[in-house]
PDB file of all heavy atoms in Angstrom:
ATOM      1  N   GLY E 989     165.165 -42.939   1.911  1.00 98.00           N
ATOM      2  CA  GLY E 989     166.503 -43.458   2.110  1.00 98.00           C
ATOM      3  C   GLY E 989     166.571 -44.637   3.045  1.00 98.00           C
ATOM      4  O   GLY E 989     167.618 -45.301   3.120  1.00 98.00           O
ATOM      5  N   ARG E 990     165.494 -44.922   3.775  1.00 98.00           N
ATOM      6  CA  ARG E 990     165.478 -46.037   4.714  1.00 98.00           C
ATOM      7  C   ARG E 990     164.490 -47.125   4.314  1.00 98.00           C
ATOM      8  O   ARG E 990     164.749 -48.306   4.535  1.00 98.00           O
ATOM      9  CB  ARG E 990     165.132 -45.544   6.123  1.00 98.00           C
ATOM     10  CG  ARG E 990     166.124 -44.541   6.684  1.00 98.00           C
ATOM     11  CD  ARG E 990     165.859 -44.265   8.154  1.00 98.00           C
ATOM     12  NE  ARG E 990     164.548 -43.647   8.365  1.00 98.00           N
ATOM     13  CZ  ARG E 990     163.579 -44.179   9.115  1.00 98.00           C
ATOM     14  NH1 ARG E 990     163.773 -45.337   9.733  1.00 98.00           N
ATOM     15  NH2 ARG E 990     162.421 -43.538   9.255  1.00 98.00           N
ATOM     16  N   PHE E 991     163.362 -46.731   3.751  1.00 98.00           N
ATOM     17  CA  PHE E 991     162.317 -47.681   3.380  1.00 98.00           C
ATOM     18  C   PHE E 991     162.275 -47.835   1.865  1.00 98.00           C
ATOM     19  O   PHE E 991     162.509 -46.876   1.120  1.00 98.00           O
ATOM     20  CB  PHE E 991     160.942 -47.205   3.852  1.00 98.00           C
ATOM     21  CG  PHE E 991     160.735 -47.228   5.343  1.00 98.00           C
ATOM     22  CD1 PHE E 991     161.781 -47.465   6.224  1.00 98.00           C
ATOM     23  CD2 PHE E 991     159.467 -47.010   5.860  1.00 98.00           C
ATOM     24  CE1 PHE E 991     161.582 -47.477   7.592  1.00 98.00           C
ATOM     25  CE2 PHE E 991     159.252 -47.022   7.223  1.00 98.00           C
ATOM     26  CZ  PHE E 991     160.308 -47.258   8.095  1.00 98.00           C
ATOM     27  N   THR E 992     161.944 -49.038   1.414  1.00 98.00           N
ATOM     28  CA  THR E 992     161.830 -49.323  -0.002  1.00 98.00           C
ATOM     29  C   THR E 992     160.580 -50.143  -0.266  1.00 98.00           C
ATOM     30  O   THR E 992     160.345 -51.154   0.401  1.00 98.00           O
ATOM     31  CB  THR E 992     163.060 -50.086  -0.529  1.00 98.00           C
ATOM     32  OG1 THR E 992     164.252 -49.342  -0.265  1.00 98.00           O
ATOM     33  CG2 THR E 992     162.938 -50.310  -2.033  1.00 98.00           C
ATOM     34  N   ILE E 993     159.791 -49.715  -1.227  1.00 98.00           N
ATOM     35  CA  ILE E 993     158.593 -50.439  -1.632  1.00 98.00           C
ATOM     36  C   ILE E 993     158.861 -51.116  -2.966  1.00 98.00           C
ATOM     37  O   ILE E 993     159.426 -50.513  -3.879  1.00 98.00           O
ATOM     38  CB  ILE E 993     157.389 -49.499  -1.745  1.00 98.00           C
ATOM     39  CG1 ILE E 993     157.057 -48.895  -0.376  1.00 98.00           C
ATOM     40  CG2 ILE E 993     156.171 -50.227  -2.311  1.00 98.00           C
ATOM     41  CD1 ILE E 993     156.013 -47.802  -0.425  1.00 98.00           C
ATOM     42  N   SER E 994     158.444 -52.363  -3.077  1.00 96.00           N
ATOM     43  CA  SER E 994     158.588 -53.099  -4.322  1.00 96.00           C
ATOM     44  C   SER E 994     157.355 -53.955  -4.556  1.00 96.00           C
ATOM     45  O   SER E 994     156.568 -54.203  -3.637  1.00 96.00           O
ATOM     46  CB  SER E 994     159.849 -53.966  -4.308  1.00 96.00           C
ATOM     47  OG  SER E 994     159.809 -54.913  -3.259  1.00 96.00           O
ATOM     48  N   ARG E 995     157.196 -54.393  -5.790  1.00 92.00           N
ATOM     49  CA  ARG E 995     156.036 -55.192  -6.166  1.00 92.00           C
ATOM     50  C   ARG E 995     156.495 -56.445  -6.899  1.00 92.00           C
ATOM     51  O   ARG E 995     157.338 -56.377  -7.794  1.00 92.00           O
ATOM     52  CB  ARG E 995     155.103 -54.373  -7.064  1.00 92.00           C
ATOM     53  CG  ARG E 995     153.802 -55.087  -7.439  1.00 92.00           C
ATOM     54  CD  ARG E 995     153.110 -54.432  -8.644  1.00 92.00           C
ATOM     55  NE  ARG E 995     152.739 -53.047  -8.415  1.00 92.00           N
ATOM     56  CZ  ARG E 995     151.569 -52.650  -7.913  1.00 92.00           C
ATOM     57  NH1 ARG E 995     150.650 -53.559  -7.571  1.00 92.00           N
ATOM     58  NH2 ARG E 995     151.313 -51.362  -7.764  1.00 92.00           N
ATOM     59  N   ASP E 996     155.926 -57.566  -6.518  1.00 91.00           N
ATOM     60  CA  ASP E 996     156.112 -58.819  -7.230  1.00 91.00           C
ATOM     61  C   ASP E 996     154.762 -59.165  -7.840  1.00 91.00           C
ATOM     62  O   ASP E 996     153.898 -59.749  -7.186  1.00 91.00           O
ATOM     63  CB  ASP E 996     156.597 -59.921  -6.298  1.00 91.00           C
ATOM     64  CG  ASP E 996     156.963 -61.198  -7.039  1.00 91.00           C
ATOM     65  OD1 ASP E 996     156.455 -61.427  -8.154  1.00 91.00           O
ATOM     66  OD2 ASP E 996     157.766 -61.987  -6.493  1.00 91.00           O
ATOM     67  N   SER E 997     154.577 -58.797  -9.095  1.00 86.00           N
ATOM     68  CA  SER E 997     153.279 -58.956  -9.732  1.00 86.00           C
ATOM     69  C   SER E 997     152.852 -60.415  -9.831  1.00 86.00           C
ATOM     70  O   SER E 997     151.668 -60.733  -9.712  1.00 86.00           O
ATOM     71  CB  SER E 997     153.304 -58.319 -11.130  1.00 86.00           C
ATOM     72  OG  SER E 997     153.508 -56.923 -11.049  1.00 86.00           O
ATOM     73  N   ALA E 998     153.809 -61.310 -10.058  1.00 87.00           N
ATOM     74  CA  ALA E 998     153.489 -62.723 -10.186  1.00 87.00           C
ATOM     75  C   ALA E 998     152.888 -63.282  -8.902  1.00 87.00           C
ATOM     76  O   ALA E 998     152.098 -64.228  -8.934  1.00 87.00           O
ATOM     77  CB  ALA E 998     154.729 -63.520 -10.580  1.00 87.00           C
ATOM     78  N   LYS E 999     153.261 -62.717  -7.771  1.00 90.00           N
ATOM     79  CA  LYS E 999     152.760 -63.168  -6.482  1.00 90.00           C
ATOM     80  C   LYS E 999     151.669 -62.264  -5.919  1.00 90.00           C
ATOM     81  O   LYS E 999     151.182 -62.507  -4.811  1.00 90.00           O
ATOM     82  CB  LYS E 999     153.903 -63.261  -5.477  1.00 90.00           C
ATOM     83  CG  LYS E 999     154.967 -64.279  -5.838  1.00 90.00           C
ATOM     84  CD  LYS E 999     156.055 -64.327  -4.777  1.00 90.00           C
ATOM     85  CE  LYS E 999     157.107 -65.363  -5.111  1.00 90.00           C
ATOM     86  NZ  LYS E 999     158.179 -65.417  -4.093  1.00 90.00           N
ATOM     87  N   ASN E1000     151.290 -61.242  -6.676  1.00 89.00           N
ATOM     88  CA  ASN E1000     150.299 -60.276  -6.209  1.00 89.00           C
ATOM     89  C   ASN E1000     150.668 -59.728  -4.832  1.00 89.00           C
ATOM     90  O   ASN E1000     149.814 -59.585  -3.953  1.00 89.00           O
ATOM     91  CB  ASN E1000     148.899 -60.893  -6.169  1.00 89.00           C
ATOM     92  CG  ASN E1000     148.402 -61.318  -7.533  1.00 89.00           C
ATOM     93  OD1 ASN E1000     148.102 -62.482  -7.773  1.00 89.00           O
ATOM     94  ND2 ASN E1000     148.307 -60.349  -8.446  1.00 89.00           N
ATOM     95  N   THR E1001     151.925 -59.417  -4.674  1.00 93.00           N
ATOM     96  CA  THR E1001     152.442 -59.021  -3.381  1.00 93.00           C
ATOM     97  C   THR E1001     153.242 -57.736  -3.492  1.00 93.00           C
ATOM     98  O   THR E1001     154.016 -57.558  -4.439  1.00 93.00           O
ATOM     99  CB  THR E1001     153.317 -60.132  -2.774  1.00 93.00           C
ATOM    100  OG1 THR E1001     152.529 -61.314  -2.608  1.00 93.00           O
ATOM    101  CG2 THR E1001     153.878 -59.712  -1.424  1.00 93.00           C
ATOM    102  N   VAL E1002     153.046 -56.868  -2.528  1.00 95.00           N
ATOM    103  CA  VAL E1002     153.823 -55.654  -2.390  1.00 95.00           C
ATOM    104  C   VAL E1002     154.588 -55.726  -1.080  1.00 95.00           C
ATOM    105  O   VAL E1002     154.051 -56.176  -0.059  1.00 95.00           O
ATOM    106  CB  VAL E1002     152.925 -54.405  -2.440  1.00 95.00           C
ATOM    107  CG1 VAL E1002     153.719 -53.150  -2.114  1.00 95.00           C
ATOM    108  CG2 VAL E1002     152.287 -54.271  -3.814  1.00 95.00           C
ATOM    109  N   TYR E1003     155.825 -55.281  -1.107  1.00 97.00           N
ATOM    110  CA  TYR E1003     156.691 -55.356   0.057  1.00 97.00           C
ATOM    111  C   TYR E1003     157.064 -53.962   0.545  1.00 97.00           C
ATOM    112  O   TYR E1003     157.199 -53.022  -0.243  1.00 97.00           O
ATOM    113  CB  TYR E1003     157.980 -56.112  -0.265  1.00 97.00           C
ATOM    114  CG  TYR E1003     157.756 -57.515  -0.766  1.00 97.00           C
ATOM    115  CD1 TYR E1003     157.749 -57.790  -2.127  1.00 97.00           C
ATOM    116  CD2 TYR E1003     157.558 -58.565   0.128  1.00 97.00           C
ATOM    117  CE1 TYR E1003     157.547 -59.076  -2.591  1.00 97.00           C
ATOM    118  CE2 TYR E1003     157.352 -59.854  -0.333  1.00 97.00           C
ATOM    119  CZ  TYR E1003     157.353 -60.110  -1.687  1.00 97.00           C
ATOM    120  OH  TYR E1003     157.153 -61.383  -2.144  1.00 97.00           O
ATOM    121  N   LEU E1004     157.238 -53.859   1.832  1.00 98.00           N
ATOM    122  CA  LEU E1004     157.807 -52.673   2.443  1.00 98.00           C
ATOM    123  C   LEU E1004     159.042 -53.105   3.207  1.00 98.00           C
ATOM    124  O   LEU E1004     158.934 -53.701   4.282  1.00 98.00           O
ATOM    125  CB  LEU E1004     156.806 -51.984   3.374  1.00 98.00           C
ATOM    126  CG  LEU E1004     157.321 -50.752   4.119  1.00 98.00           C
ATOM    127  CD1 LEU E1004     157.671 -49.631   3.141  1.00 98.00           C
ATOM    128  CD2 LEU E1004     156.300 -50.259   5.137  1.00 98.00           C
ATOM    129  N   GLN E1005     160.201 -52.834   2.635  1.00 98.00           N
ATOM    130  CA  GLN E1005     161.460 -53.129   3.288  1.00 98.00           C
ATOM    131  C   GLN E1005     161.854 -51.933   4.140  1.00 98.00           C
ATOM    132  O   GLN E1005     162.014 -50.829   3.620  1.00 98.00           O
ATOM    133  CB  GLN E1005     162.545 -53.424   2.256  1.00 98.00           C
ATOM    134  CG  GLN E1005     163.920 -53.694   2.843  1.00 98.00           C
ATOM    135  CD  GLN E1005     163.978 -54.983   3.620  1.00 98.00           C
ATOM    136  OE1 GLN E1005     163.506 -56.023   3.150  1.00 98.00           O
ATOM    137  NE2 GLN E1005     164.529 -54.935   4.826  1.00 98.00           N
ATOM    138  N   MET E1006     162.015 -52.152   5.422  1.00 98.00           N
ATOM    139  CA  MET E1006     162.324 -51.087   6.358  1.00 98.00           C
ATOM    140  C   MET E1006     163.702 -51.335   6.949  1.00 98.00           C
ATOM    141  O   MET E1006     163.925 -52.351   7.610  1.00 98.00           O
ATOM    142  CB  MET E1006     161.266 -51.008   7.463  1.00 98.00           C
ATOM    143  CG  MET E1006     159.849 -50.819   6.938  1.00 98.00           C
ATOM    144  SD  MET E1006     158.619 -50.658   8.265  1.00 98.00           S
ATOM    145  CE  MET E1006     158.669 -52.327   8.929  1.00 98.00           C
ATOM    146  N   ASN E1007     164.605 -50.420   6.700  1.00 98.00           N
ATOM    147  CA  ASN E1007     165.966 -50.500   7.215  1.00 98.00           C
ATOM    148  C   ASN E1007     166.235 -49.330   8.145  1.00 98.00           C
ATOM    149  O   ASN E1007     165.530 -48.326   8.129  1.00 98.00           O
ATOM    150  CB  ASN E1007     166.978 -50.496   6.069  1.00 98.00           C
ATOM    151  CG  ASN E1007     166.832 -51.673   5.141  1.00 98.00           C
ATOM    152  OD1 ASN E1007     166.486 -52.775   5.553  1.00 98.00           O
ATOM    153  ND2 ASN E1007     167.122 -51.448   3.855  1.00 98.00           N
ATOM    154  N   SER E1008     167.281 -49.459   8.935  1.00 98.00           N
ATOM    155  CA  SER E1008     167.689 -48.397   9.858  1.00 98.00           C
ATOM    156  C   SER E1008     166.511 -47.907  10.682  1.00 98.00           C
ATOM    157  O   SER E1008     166.270 -46.708  10.823  1.00 98.00           O
ATOM    158  CB  SER E1008     168.335 -47.242   9.089  1.00 98.00           C
ATOM    159  OG  SER E1008     169.460 -47.675   8.355  1.00 98.00           O
ATOM    160  N   LEU E1009     165.779 -48.832  11.236  1.00 98.00           N
ATOM    161  CA  LEU E1009     164.562 -48.491  11.958  1.00 98.00           C
ATOM    162  C   LEU E1009     164.860 -47.680  13.211  1.00 98.00           C
ATOM    163  O   LEU E1009     165.868 -47.895  13.889  1.00 98.00           O
ATOM    164  CB  LEU E1009     163.796 -49.752  12.323  1.00 98.00           C
ATOM    165  CG  LEU E1009     163.011 -50.370  11.160  1.00 98.00           C
ATOM    166  CD1 LEU E1009     162.648 -51.815  11.463  1.00 98.00           C
ATOM    167  CD2 LEU E1009     161.753 -49.552  10.879  1.00 98.00           C
ATOM    168  N   LYS E1010     163.961 -46.755  13.492  1.00 98.00           N
ATOM    169  CA  LYS E1010     164.054 -45.875  14.642  1.00 98.00           C
ATOM    170  C   LYS E1010     162.856 -46.100  15.551  1.00 98.00           C
ATOM    171  O   LYS E1010     161.798 -46.527  15.088  1.00 98.00           O
ATOM    172  CB  LYS E1010     164.077 -44.408  14.198  1.00 98.00           C
ATOM    173  CG  LYS E1010     165.148 -44.063  13.178  1.00 98.00           C
ATOM    174  CD  LYS E1010     164.978 -42.632  12.694  1.00 98.00           C
ATOM    175  CE  LYS E1010     166.015 -42.270  11.658  1.00 98.00           C
ATOM    176  NZ  LYS E1010     165.833 -40.880  11.167  1.00 98.00           N
ATOM    177  N   PRO E1011     162.991 -45.795  16.839  1.00 97.00           N
ATOM    178  CA  PRO E1011     161.832 -45.934  17.730  1.00 97.00           C
ATOM    179  C   PRO E1011     160.614 -45.156  17.249  1.00 97.00           C
ATOM    180  O   PRO E1011     159.480 -45.615  17.455  1.00 97.00           O
ATOM    181  CB  PRO E1011     162.356 -45.387  19.060  1.00 97.00           C
ATOM    182  CG  PRO E1011     163.813 -45.682  19.022  1.00 97.00           C
ATOM    183  CD  PRO E1011     164.211 -45.464  17.585  1.00 97.00           C
ATOM    184  N   GLU E1012     160.816 -44.025  16.610  1.00 97.00           N
ATOM    185  CA  GLU E1012     159.698 -43.246  16.121  1.00 97.00           C
ATOM    186  C   GLU E1012     158.975 -43.894  14.939  1.00 97.00           C
ATOM    187  O   GLU E1012     157.922 -43.403  14.513  1.00 97.00           O
ATOM    188  CB  GLU E1012     160.125 -41.822  15.748  1.00 97.00           C
ATOM    189  CG  GLU E1012     161.360 -41.761  14.873  1.00 97.00           C
ATOM    190  CD  GLU E1012     162.632 -41.516  15.666  1.00 97.00           C
ATOM    191  OE1 GLU E1012     162.834 -42.192  16.699  1.00 97.00           O
ATOM    192  OE2 GLU E1012     163.425 -40.640  15.256  1.00 97.00           O
ATOM    193  N   ASP E1013     159.520 -44.973  14.402  1.00 98.00           N
ATOM    194  CA  ASP E1013     158.824 -45.741  13.380  1.00 98.00           C
ATOM    195  C   ASP E1013     157.775 -46.673  13.968  1.00 98.00           C
ATOM    196  O   ASP E1013     157.017 -47.293  13.222  1.00 98.00           O
ATOM    197  CB  ASP E1013     159.811 -46.564  12.550  1.00 98.00           C
ATOM    198  CG  ASP E1013     160.756 -45.705  11.728  1.00 98.00           C
ATOM    199  OD1 ASP E1013     160.303 -44.700  11.149  1.00 98.00           O
ATOM    200  OD2 ASP E1013     161.953 -46.052  11.657  1.00 98.00           O
ATOM    201  N   THR E1014     157.740 -46.797  15.275  1.00 98.00           N
ATOM    202  CA  THR E1014     156.773 -47.672  15.931  1.00 98.00           C
ATOM    203  C   THR E1014     155.352 -47.229  15.609  1.00 98.00           C
ATOM    204  O   THR E1014     154.982 -46.074  15.825  1.00 98.00           O
ATOM    205  CB  THR E1014     156.998 -47.671  17.444  1.00 98.00           C
ATOM    206  OG1 THR E1014     158.280 -48.238  17.739  1.00 98.00           O
ATOM    207  CG2 THR E1014     155.929 -48.485  18.148  1.00 98.00           C
ATOM    208  N   ALA E1015     154.559 -48.149  15.091  1.00 98.00           N
ATOM    209  CA  ALA E1015     153.193 -47.845  14.689  1.00 98.00           C
ATOM    210  C   ALA E1015     152.534 -49.123  14.201  1.00 98.00           C
ATOM    211  O   ALA E1015     153.191 -50.149  14.015  1.00 98.00           O
ATOM    212  CB  ALA E1015     153.166 -46.788  13.583  1.00 98.00           C
ATOM    213  N   VAL E1016     151.238 -49.039  13.984  1.00 98.00           N
ATOM    214  CA  VAL E1016     150.541 -50.065  13.229  1.00 98.00           C
ATOM    215  C   VAL E1016     150.656 -49.698  11.757  1.00 98.00           C
ATOM    216  O   VAL E1016     150.312 -48.583  11.362  1.00 98.00           O
ATOM    217  CB  VAL E1016     149.066 -50.183  13.639  1.00 98.00           C
ATOM    218  CG1 VAL E1016     148.356 -51.217  12.768  1.00 98.00           C
ATOM    219  CG2 VAL E1016     148.958 -50.569  15.104  1.00 98.00           C
ATOM    220  N   TYR E1017     151.135 -50.617  10.973  1.00 98.00           N
ATOM    221  CA  TYR E1017     151.324 -50.391   9.552  1.00 98.00           C
ATOM    222  C   TYR E1017     150.217 -51.062   8.757  1.00 98.00           C
ATOM    223  O   TYR E1017     149.868 -52.219   9.006  1.00 98.00           O
ATOM    224  CB  TYR E1017     152.685 -50.919   9.096  1.00 98.00           C
ATOM    225  CG  TYR E1017     153.825 -50.014   9.479  1.00 98.00           C
ATOM    226  CD1 TYR E1017     154.219 -49.889  10.806  1.00 98.00           C
ATOM    227  CD2 TYR E1017     154.506 -49.270   8.512  1.00 98.00           C
ATOM    228  CE1 TYR E1017     155.255 -49.040  11.163  1.00 98.00           C
ATOM    229  CE2 TYR E1017     155.545 -48.431   8.864  1.00 98.00           C
ATOM    230  CZ  TYR E1017     155.919 -48.317  10.188  1.00 98.00           C
ATOM    231  OH  TYR E1017     156.955 -47.478  10.537  1.00 98.00           O
ATOM    232  N   TYR E1018     149.675 -50.332   7.800  1.00 98.00           N
ATOM    233  CA  TYR E1018     148.593 -50.818   6.963  1.00 98.00           C
ATOM    234  C   TYR E1018     148.988 -50.752   5.499  1.00 98.00           C
ATOM    235  O   TYR E1018     149.606 -49.779   5.061  1.00 98.00           O
ATOM    236  CB  TYR E1018     147.332 -49.959   7.135  1.00 98.00           C
ATOM    237  CG  TYR E1018     146.769 -49.906   8.534  1.00 98.00           C
ATOM    238  CD1 TYR E1018     147.215 -48.955   9.438  1.00 98.00           C
ATOM    239  CD2 TYR E1018     145.769 -50.786   8.922  1.00 98.00           C
ATOM    240  CE1 TYR E1018     146.687 -48.882  10.716  1.00 98.00           C
ATOM    241  CE2 TYR E1018     145.237 -50.720  10.191  1.00 98.00           C
ATOM    242  CZ  TYR E1018     145.697 -49.768  11.088  1.00 98.00           C
ATOM    243  OH  TYR E1018     145.154 -49.709  12.350  1.00 98.00           O
ATOM    244  N   CYS E1019     148.617 -51.756   4.740  1.00 96.00           N
ATOM    245  CA  CYS E1019     148.671 -51.610   3.300  1.00 96.00           C
ATOM    246  C   CYS E1019     147.276 -51.291   2.795  1.00 96.00           C
ATOM    247  O   CYS E1019     146.272 -51.662   3.400  1.00 96.00           O
ATOM    248  CB  CYS E1019     149.239 -52.857   2.610  1.00 96.00           C
ATOM    249  SG  CYS E1019     148.241 -54.346   2.724  1.00 96.00           S
ATOM    250  N   ALA E1020     147.220 -50.574   1.703  1.00 96.00           N
ATOM    251  CA  ALA E1020     145.965 -50.128   1.144  1.00 96.00           C
ATOM    252  C   ALA E1020     146.047 -50.161  -0.369  1.00 96.00           C
ATOM    253  O   ALA E1020     147.130 -50.088  -0.946  1.00 96.00           O
ATOM    254  CB  ALA E1020     145.625 -48.716   1.631  1.00 96.00           C
ATOM    255  N   ALA E1021     144.895 -50.262  -1.002  1.00 94.00           N
ATOM    256  CA  ALA E1021     144.841 -50.349  -2.451  1.00 94.00           C
ATOM    257  C   ALA E1021     143.725 -49.487  -2.993  1.00 94.00           C
ATOM    258  O   ALA E1021     142.693 -49.297  -2.341  1.00 94.00           O
ATOM    259  CB  ALA E1021     144.650 -51.798  -2.899  1.00 94.00           C
ATOM    260  N   ARG E1022     143.936 -48.982  -4.177  1.00 91.00           N
ATOM    261  CA  ARG E1022     142.907 -48.293  -4.912  1.00 91.00           C
ATOM    262  C   ARG E1022     143.070 -48.586  -6.378  1.00 91.00           C
ATOM    263  O   ARG E1022     144.195 -48.825  -6.844  1.00 91.00           O
ATOM    264  CB  ARG E1022     142.942 -46.779  -4.657  1.00 91.00           C
ATOM    265  CG  ARG E1022     144.151 -46.065  -5.235  1.00 91.00           C
ATOM    266  CD  ARG E1022     144.134 -44.560  -4.932  1.00 91.00           C
ATOM    267  NE  ARG E1022     142.900 -43.907  -5.351  1.00 91.00           N
ATOM    268  CZ  ARG E1022     142.656 -43.445  -6.565  1.00 91.00           C
ATOM    269  NH1 ARG E1022     143.577 -43.539  -7.529  1.00 91.00           N
ATOM    270  NH2 ARG E1022     141.483 -42.872  -6.842  1.00 91.00           N
ATOM    271  N   ASP E1023     141.985 -48.594  -7.102  1.00 88.00           N
ATOM    272  CA  ASP E1023     142.103 -48.655  -8.548  1.00 88.00           C
ATOM    273  C   ASP E1023     142.273 -47.240  -9.072  1.00 88.00           C
ATOM    274  O   ASP E1023     142.439 -46.297  -8.303  1.00 88.00           O
ATOM    275  CB  ASP E1023     140.923 -49.387  -9.188  1.00 88.00           C
ATOM    276  CG  ASP E1023     139.576 -48.849  -8.766  1.00 88.00           C
ATOM    277  OD1 ASP E1023     139.492 -47.680  -8.335  1.00 88.00           O
ATOM    278  OD2 ASP E1023     138.593 -49.597  -8.853  1.00 88.00           O
ATOM    279  N   GLY E1024     142.262 -47.091 -10.366  1.00 87.00           N
ATOM    280  CA  GLY E1024     142.572 -45.794 -10.927  1.00 87.00           C
ATOM    281  C   GLY E1024     144.046 -45.703 -11.253  1.00 87.00           C
ATOM    282  O   GLY E1024     144.762 -46.709 -11.297  1.00 87.00           O
ATOM    283  N   SER E1025     144.507 -44.500 -11.456  1.00 87.00           N
ATOM    284  CA  SER E1025     145.858 -44.312 -11.972  1.00 87.00           C
ATOM    285  C   SER E1025     146.713 -43.343 -11.178  1.00 87.00           C
ATOM    286  O   SER E1025     147.861 -43.100 -11.550  1.00 87.00           O
ATOM    287  CB  SER E1025     145.799 -43.839 -13.427  1.00 87.00           C
ATOM    288  OG  SER E1025     145.117 -42.602 -13.537  1.00 87.00           O
TER     289      SER E1025
END
């Protein structure tokens, strides 16, 4: 309800939109990838 992930395939980019952020969201954020399904 607060975060939204989206993909722009043309730009090979994935986004993490973070709304209504809380202090407990403080962290190092990593993106990761795997092949497979």
Side-chain angles (χ1 to χ4, degrees):
R990 299 189 297 120
F991 291 9
T992 303
I993 297 172
S994 60
R995 184 197 299 270
D996 187 336
S997 296
K999 297 181 179 180
N1000 297 120
T1001 300
V1002 173
Y1003 302 97
L1004 177 64
Q1005 178 68 47
M1006 303 182 292
N1007 298 326
S1008 301
L1009 282 162
K1010 306 174 181 179
E1012 49 263 47
D1013 294 319
T1014 295
V1016 177
Y1017 283 71
Y1018 300 88
C1019 66
R1022 69 181 306 275
D1023 53 23
S1025 61

